[in-house]
Amino acid sequence: MESYYVYGPDGEVTILSTAGEAISLAYEISGTVTGESGAYVWRKDKINTKNQIMAIEASPVTEDKNSLAVCLDTILAYEGIMRNSEYMLTQGKTVQEVLQENLENVLYYPDREIPVLAMLGDGNAVLIIGFNEKNVVLMNPETDKVYKMGMNDAADWFTENGCHFISYVKK
C-alpha cells in the first residue's frame, strides 16, 4: 500500500494511507500531497475561471458498452490508447486497475486538460471536461451529449451520487 505525504505550509509532514484522506487534509491546511516517489499528487493552486477540453466530444452508450466503459475508453483515447474497457471491467478489473494498466504514468489527480471520471450512484459514469464561472461541462454517454450544468446543481448531483471522482496526471 502506498503512503501519501501531506506537507503543511509550516513544514509539518503528515503521512496517510489513502490519497483521499491526504487530499482532504492538504485542502484544509493549504498544503501539498506527494506519493512515495515524490511526485505531486495534489497541491492547492489557483484555478482558472474557465476551461474545457475541446478534444473530447460526446460518445454514446451502446449495446456493447455502458457509460463507465465509454468514459474510460474516452480517457484512454484522449491519451492515444485504444482499449476495450467494457471487456476489462467484465473480467473483474476495477476502474483504477484499468487506468493504471493502460496509462502507465498516471496518479490519481485532477489537473487542467485531464478529464475527470465521475462515478454515479446507479453505476453509470460521466466525464467532467470543463467549467466556467457558473457551470461544469459534462460528457454524458447515456445522453450522447456534451452539456453544461450549473455549479450548484452539479455539486448537489455529485453529492447525491456519493462524490466518486477518478482522474490522473502524467509523471
Side-chain angles (χ1 to χ4, degrees):
M1 179 183 299
E2 183 165 2
S3 294
Y4 297 90
Y5 300 84
V6 180
Y7 296 90
D10 59 358
E12 184 177 323
V13 179
T14 304
I15 302 170
L16 296 166
S17 60
T18 69
E21 291 173 325
I23 291 168
S24 292
L25 175 59
Y27 180 81
E28 279 180 36
I29 66 171
S30 295
T32 300
V33 179
T34 65
E36 289 177 349
S37 68
Y40 281 105
V41 174
W42 188 91
R43 63 180 173 222
K44 194 162 189 174
D45 275 339
K46 182 179 178 185
I47 296 176
N48 292 321
T49 57
K50 61 183 175 180
N51 189 39
Q52 181 173 341
I53 304 169
M54 299 306 291
I56 294 180
E57 298 178 358
S59 292
V61 168
T62 66
E63 288 182 22
D64 299 327
K65 284 188 186 177
N66 64 26
S67 63
L68 176 57
V70 171
C71 287
L72 283 170
D73 285 349
T74 300
I75 289 171
L76 295 171
Y78 179 68
E79 292 298 327
I81 300 167
M82 301 308 291
R83 294 287 186 273
N84 182 343
S85 296
E86 180 73 28
Y87 175 77
M88 290 182 276
L89 292 168
T90 59
Q91 297 302 306
K93 301 278 185 191
T94 66
V95 171
Q96 289 85 354
E97 288 171 333
V98 171
L99 289 174
Q100 287 170 346
E101 290 174 12
N102 292 285
L103 295 173
E104 294 173 4
N105 297 319
V106 300
L107 292 174
Y108 187 89
Y109 174 69
D111 196 346
R112 292 181 193 129
E113 293 299 308
I114 295 177
V116 176
L117 187 143
M119 296 293 302
L120 305 176
D122 63 3
N124 286 316
V126 298
L127 288 181
I128 302 168
I129 62 168
F131 60 93
N132 63 28
E133 298 89 351
K134 298 179 181 178
N135 301 294
V136 174
V137 182
L138 304 170
M139 187 281 284
N140 188 337
E142 290 291 327
T143 62
D144 190 21
K145 298 210 182 307
V146 170
Y147 60 92
K148 293 178 185 174
M149 180 182 282
M151 286 283 190
N152 293 333
D153 291 339
D156 290 345
W157 189 50
F158 291 132
T159 299
E160 289 168 13
N161 281 280
C163 290
H164 298 286
F165 303 105
I166 301 171
S167 195
Y168 61 94
V169 290
K170 298 174 188 174
K171 289 185 181 178

